[in-house]
Amino acid sequence: MGMMPGLIGVLAFAAPCVDGDLVTMRVVREAMGTEFEILLCGRDEQSLVNAANEALDEVEDLDQQMSLYNARSELSSINRRSAAERVAVEPKLFSLLELAGEITDASRGAFDITVTPLVKCWGFFRGQGQVPPADTIAAALQSVGMRHVELRRPDRTVHFRRADVRLDLGGIAKGYAVDRAVEVLRGLGITRALVHGGQSSIYALGAPPDQASWTVGIRHPLDASRRIAVVHLRDRALSTSGNYEKFFEADGKLYSHIIDPRTGYPATGMLSASALGPTAAETDALATAFFVMGQAKTRQYCAAHPHIQAVLVAEVESGESLRLVRIGEKLPSREFLKEESSRTERSQ
Ligand code: AMP
Ligand code: MG
């Protein structure tokens, strides 16, 4: 069959399954304030659709558990109660909180799920984007930092050391949900699939029948209809964080929804940051972290963590051009096609 999926925003599916015996099915569902999509290959249409639906049910359950926008979610309950008491956390969510904490340490605080009070004061939670007064930012900063969060492993409890600590899993939840969906698919015997959450995190399970890997595009940060790079993935994840996702402009400056938890101000200098790695939870968190960390720190991170690669699109002060930076030895140039020649330059 000649299905040719096109460009779909941040990420593009460039390689469909094409094989006499195999069919490709695509199942989409709204969850986590966006659209989750599964493309999967196998022999029987109905069992593929059933498998995808089971995986998407899992994503919906996770949305119920981890949403900040749902007062009844476990995360909301943790946020309400953890300053007053030690709150028992569902085991897998507890592990995710631990992973978030590890990435905070590894990124030296660039990724931090306690960023919530800052996200709120900049108007990125429900409100309208606004530049807050400096003392409001300083006050919010006081309660930001994983050092205020105690995770006790033996009884899987969480406790906040300050009353105003609030956790936000917005920087990691979609990737995590992608991983959990893939786990469901694997359990059901699926061996070839692409799963993405809102086009920002994708996992490539196996490969299309006649190919070594799935081909996935990274969106041009200034133009959703163009790709800036193409990568090949097999049993690997890719996540992209971009300033185009959520931002506001004030006094001719653009303020993005990704905030540096150490300064209290939106991260600057980057148009998009992509991370490649073994799980989408990790790449989701790292894409957010790399957006904050910038080129030099991301380079250091990838040198110390060889299973991670990065593709950064940095802002260039003058002119129209972008700076496209590929980081990581395991990202050979043949796996990285620069599609933009006139408006981008590449540096190693
Ligand atoms: P992403 O789109 O994965 O980069 O995640 C961005 C979302 O994560 C934001 O909308 C905030 O809810 C939250 N967030 C913002 N800055 C950070 C940060 N430095 N670390 C962790 N989460 C963040
Ligand atoms: Mg992220």
Side-chain angles (χ1 to χ4, degrees):
M1 57 174 277
M3 191 173 88
M4 192 58 216
L7 199 64
I8 53 153
V10 178
L11 303 167
F13 298 154
C17 306
V18 183
D19 188 280
D21 277 351
L22 294 175
V23 286
T24 304
M25 300 302 290
R26 180 192 287 257
V27 183
V28 180
R29 200 184 299 177
E30 302 237 328
M32 297 193 168
T34 181
E35 222 169 55
F36 275 70
E37 180 166 10
I38 298 180
L39 191 69
L40 69 184
C41 314
R43 301 203 181 275
D44 176 57
E45 286 187 16
Q46 195 53 52
S47 51
L48 291 174
V49 171
N50 292 347
N53 276 320
E54 237 178 88
L56 292 167
D57 289 347
E58 180 90 348
V59 173
E60 268 186 28
D61 289 350
L62 292 170
D63 191 6
Q64 296 287 319
Q65 182 183 30
M66 307 197 300
S67 174
L68 258 194
Y69 291 85
N70 172 1
R72 289 192 304 272
S73 72
E74 185 177 356
L75 186 69
S76 294
S77 162
I78 288 170
N79 279 338
R80 270 194 307 273
R81 296 162 52 213
S82 298
E85 55 183 309
R86 279 185 195 291
V87 176
V89 182
E90 182 271 324
K92 287 183 173 168
L93 179 55
F94 186 83
S95 300
L96 182 64
L97 298 181
E98 283 192 320
L99 173 65
E102 283 161 22
I103 295 175
T104 300
D105 290 344
S107 68
R108 310 230 166 140
F111 179 82
D112 197 315
I113 58 173
T114 64
V115 74
T116 322
L118 291 167
V119 173
K120 285 185 179 165
C121 83
W122 283 92
F124 288 115
F125 179 74
R126 289 202 167 106
Q128 277 237 303
Q130 62 191 2
V131 180
D135 56 348
T136 305
I137 297 170
L141 256 184
Q142 295 291 310
S143 54
V144 173
M146 279 302 274
R147 67 187 178 283
H148 303 310
V149 178
E150 187 190 348
L151 294 170
R152 217 158 68 172
R153 188 176 283 174
D155 56 357
R156 294 198 198 91
T157 55
V158 59
H159 173 62
F160 297 163
R161 298 190 175 102
R162 287 180 57 102
D164 39 12
V165 172
R166 294 289 179 275
L167 306 182
D168 171 7
L169 294 173
I172 192 171
K174 280 183 274 173
Y176 177 68
V178 164
D179 289 336
R180 291 280 296 270
V182 168
E183 213 177 289
V184 170
L185 295 179
R186 277 202 171 104
L188 294 169
I190 303 295
T191 56
R192 308 170 189 279
L194 274 177
V195 179
H196 79 81
Q199 300 162 10
S200 63
S201 282
I202 194 164
Y203 189 91
L205 174 62
D210 50 350
Q211 289 171 58
S213 57
W214 292 95
T215 305
V216 174
I218 298 174
R219 181 204 127 145
H220 192 297
L222 302 179
D223 181 352
S225 69
R226 286 191 296 171
R227 286 174 299 190
I228 203 157
V230 171
V231 293
H232 296 281
L233 302 174
R234 181 190 189 116
D235 298 326
R236 272 176 87 67
L238 162 68
S239 298
T240 301
S241 282
N243 68 352
Y244 48 80
E245 283 167 36
K246 243 194 238 179
F247 62 89
F248 69 89
E249 282 180 64
D251 304 328
K253 273 179 76 175
L254 188 148
Y255 296 92
S256 92
H257 69 304
I258 299 172
I259 295 172
D260 187 335
R262 299 151 312 181
T263 64
Y265 285 78
T268 55
M270 209 64 82
L271 296 174
S272 79
S274 300
L276 291 88
T279 70
E282 197 175 350
T283 57
D284 189 353
L286 288 175
T288 307
F290 293 165
F291 192 95
V292 173
M293 288 157 70
Q295 192 177 321
K297 292 273 159 48
T298 299
R299 210 177 273 288
Q300 281 172 17
Y301 187 98
C302 292
H305 301 83
H307 63 296
I308 299 294
Q309 292 88 46
V311 178
L312 307 181
V313 186
E315 232 165 347
V316 172
E317 290 273 325
S318 59
E320 276 271 276
S321 65
L322 311 175
R323 184 180 299 277
L324 189 59
V325 184
R326 168 168 58 96
I327 299 170
E329 283 174 15
K330 288 188 187 142
L331 203 60
S333 53
R334 69 172 179 80
E335 295 202 356
F336 187 81
L337 307 179
K338 191 177 65 168
E339 296 214 330
E340 297 298 310
S341 49
S342 57
R343 296 178 59 195
T344 55
E345 63 180 271
R346 174 167 163 190
S347 75
Q348 218 353 65

